[in-house]
Amino acid sequence: MEPKKIREGYLVKKGSVFNSWKPMWVVLLEDAIEFYKKKSDNSPKGMIPLKGSTLTSPCQDFGKRMFVFKLATTKQQDHFFQAAYLEERDVWVRDIKKAIKCIEGGQKFARKSTRRSIRLPETIDLSALYLSMKDADKGIKELKIEKDRKVFNHCFTGNCVIDWLLSKKSVRNRQEGLMIASSLLNEGFLQPAGDLSKNAVDGTAEISFLDNPDAFYYFADSGFFCEDNSSDDDVILKEEFRGIIIKQGCLLKQGHRRKNWKVRKFILREDPAYLHYYDPAGGEDPLGAIHLRGCVVTAVESTPEAKKSGDENLFEIITSSEVHYFLQAASPQERTEWIKAIQVVSRTGK
């Protein structure tokens, strides 16, 4: 049997020969990490065995590069990867550490078995419950929380989750609520935000969720992000950067001149509504910006030039000034999430 895919997506990798940083399509398997030049490639550019490897995160070997982690193999080879943002790095690191631990213990990689370890009743439908929790009117309200000089956007507290479960009569008491919340966490519907909740997830306790006002969590497909608070009140941001970050991540973008496709890191902001794109391999300044106010965004099957990037999941943004942008997501779900987020911002942002 082929090793199971645990996680895949774009990361920036440091070259082992020329020391240049380039975006790669990275696939985490049960026993190795494969990296490809493009997602559509059939054979990997390289493979890193996980057996005996050690992981370092955060890796601060590179001054201006954030969200880097290092994987050192038994052959004393160091491999450096850079994520687009903190939460993306954390989920990669968590899964790689678990894969290494499973190899050492002779176990198969598996998410925590919710129904076996927590004895979840068969009548509980976690997917349906998750959708109810995300309901805009009757679900859990996403908040902007400031703590320890950090700002957590689009998140909620652990005790709010238990309170909501009780209010909807989904559970009979807080202990039962902890079981359900831990199940949602173990299955990936909820994600930890902040040191307190992350440490609980990394621990060995059967109940990994905290019924605590200082434990923060967020929906897996939300626009959560964390930022440091600046004490410098004199910093004046360019108007288009004042907007709150709604979503961020890597997408393929088609160039306007050569019509070639390149991986870019995108940051979606609202009020004002802008989609900035950056070179994921480095650089603090954006390569460009798309003003989204009044734009139209739709899923498409191909570009007018028929120069597809080798896969589906394409979508098009047409600005109010009638400039066309073609982008490609890594999966149908990711495309849908980007389209929905851009549609909301285009209607509400300046």
Side-chain angles (χ1 to χ4, degrees):
M1 289 180 62
E2 291 187 3
K4 182 178 69 175
K5 284 184 182 179
I6 297 169
R7 179 173 297 280
E8 58 184 341
Y10 285 110
L11 292 173
V12 178
K13 185 181 183 299
K14 179 179 176 291
S16 55
V17 179
F18 297 106
N19 293 327
S20 57
W21 293 77
K22 292 184 179 180
M24 295 282 179
W25 181 258
V26 181
V27 178
L28 171 62
L29 304 172
E30 291 175 301
D31 59 354
I33 289 178
E34 294 179 342
F35 50 95
Y36 300 74
K37 190 174 180 180
K38 294 185 296 184
K39 180 178 182 281
S40 55
D41 288 351
N42 293 321
S43 56
K45 187 177 175 66
M47 189 271 288
I48 307 167
L50 293 178
K51 187 176 181 179
S53 295
T54 56
L55 189 68
T56 303
S57 178
C59 173
Q60 298 174 329
D61 293 10
F62 308 94
K64 292 187 177 180
R65 288 192 176 273
M66 300 175 67
F67 318 129
V68 174
F69 61 90
K70 178 175 76 171
L71 191 65
T73 68
T74 53
K75 294 182 178 180
Q76 276 69 55
Q77 293 177 325
D78 293 340
H79 299 271
F80 299 92
F81 294 91
Q82 181 182 20
Y85 51 99
L86 177 64
E87 292 73 37
E88 183 180 57
R89 184 196 67 190
D90 286 351
V91 293
W92 273 96
V93 166
R94 195 177 303 137
D95 280 349
I96 294 171
K97 281 184 176 179
K98 184 168 182 178
I100 293 172
K101 191 174 181 181
C102 286
I103 294 171
E104 291 172 350
Q107 302 169 319
K108 295 285 286 183
F109 185 100
R111 307 288 178 193
K112 287 184 180 178
S113 179
T114 296
R115 295 194 184 275
R116 283 202 304 270
S117 64
I118 303 182
R119 297 178 297 281
L120 189 67
E122 293 297 332
T123 54
I124 295 293
D125 185 340
L126 292 178
S127 297
L129 183 60
Y130 177 67
L131 292 175
S132 298
M133 295 172 81
K134 289 192 65 185
D135 185 273
D137 298 320
K138 300 179 181 178
I140 296 173
K141 302 304 179 187
E142 295 178 281
L143 307 171
K144 180 176 181 179
I145 303 173
E146 296 187 32
K147 185 173 178 62
D148 298 331
R149 300 191 62 76
K150 288 184 178 180
V151 181
F152 298 87
N153 296 271
H154 299 279
C155 72
F156 39 83
T157 63
N159 64 315
C160 282
V161 173
I162 308 301
D163 289 344
W164 183 88
L165 289 169
L166 285 167
S167 70
K168 300 300 177 183
K169 295 183 170 48
S170 298
V171 296
R172 292 169 295 180
N173 50 55
R174 301 193 81 83
Q175 187 59 34
E176 195 171 278
L178 278 171
M179 288 172 54
I180 300 297
S182 293
S183 302
L184 289 162
L185 191 64
N186 296 342
E187 296 296 325
F189 292 108
L190 303 182
Q191 294 291 330
D195 293 338
L196 185 63
S197 54
K198 287 179 181 178
N199 289 338
V201 169
D202 292 336
T204 57
E206 186 175 76
I207 302 297
S208 53
F209 193 89
L210 298 177
D211 181 4
N212 189 316
D214 293 324
F216 306 145
Y217 301 90
Y218 62 96
F219 296 125
D221 54 356
S222 74
F224 171 81
F225 70 101
C226 175
E227 57 186 336
D228 290 329
N229 240 336
S230 173
S231 59
D232 187 356
D233 296 329
D234 298 326
V235 173
I236 300 177
L237 293 175
K238 192 175 179 181
E239 177 63 24
E240 63 190 59
F241 294 103
R242 290 180 182 272
I244 296 173
I245 296 176
I246 298 300
K247 188 173 178 59
Q248 54 186 321
C250 287
L251 297 167
L252 280 169
K253 177 185 175 294
Q254 186 186 52
H256 278 102
R257 293 182 181 178
R258 299 182 184 178
K259 306 301 179 185
N260 56 339
W261 292 82
K262 291 186 177 180
V263 179
R264 296 293 181 230
K265 174 184 173 180
F266 285 84
I267 296 181
L268 175 63
R269 293 179 170 91
E270 71 169 350
D271 198 25
Y274 275 91
L275 183 63
H276 294 93
Y277 53 94
Y278 302 74
D279 180 352
E284 297 180 5
D285 297 324
L287 299 174
I290 306 172
H291 190 196
L292 299 174
R293 178 64 175 170
C295 79
V296 175
V297 55
T298 55
V300 294
E301 297 304 317
S302 64
T303 65
E305 296 79 14
K307 289 188 176 181
K308 286 182 68 176
S309 56
D311 212 334
E312 55 270 345
N313 309 319
L314 298 168
F315 62 100
E316 178 185 16
I317 299 173
I318 306 175
T319 68
S320 58
S321 54
E322 297 190 2
V323 179
H324 295 243
Y325 295 88
F326 290 96
L327 307 173
Q328 182 191 28
S331 67
Q333 181 183 348
E334 185 181 56
R335 176 174 69 173
T336 301
E337 290 170 4
W338 274 102
I339 289 174
K340 286 182 178 179
I342 292 170
Q343 286 174 335
V344 171
V345 166
S346 69
R347 292 194 296 265
T348 59
K350 293 178 184 176

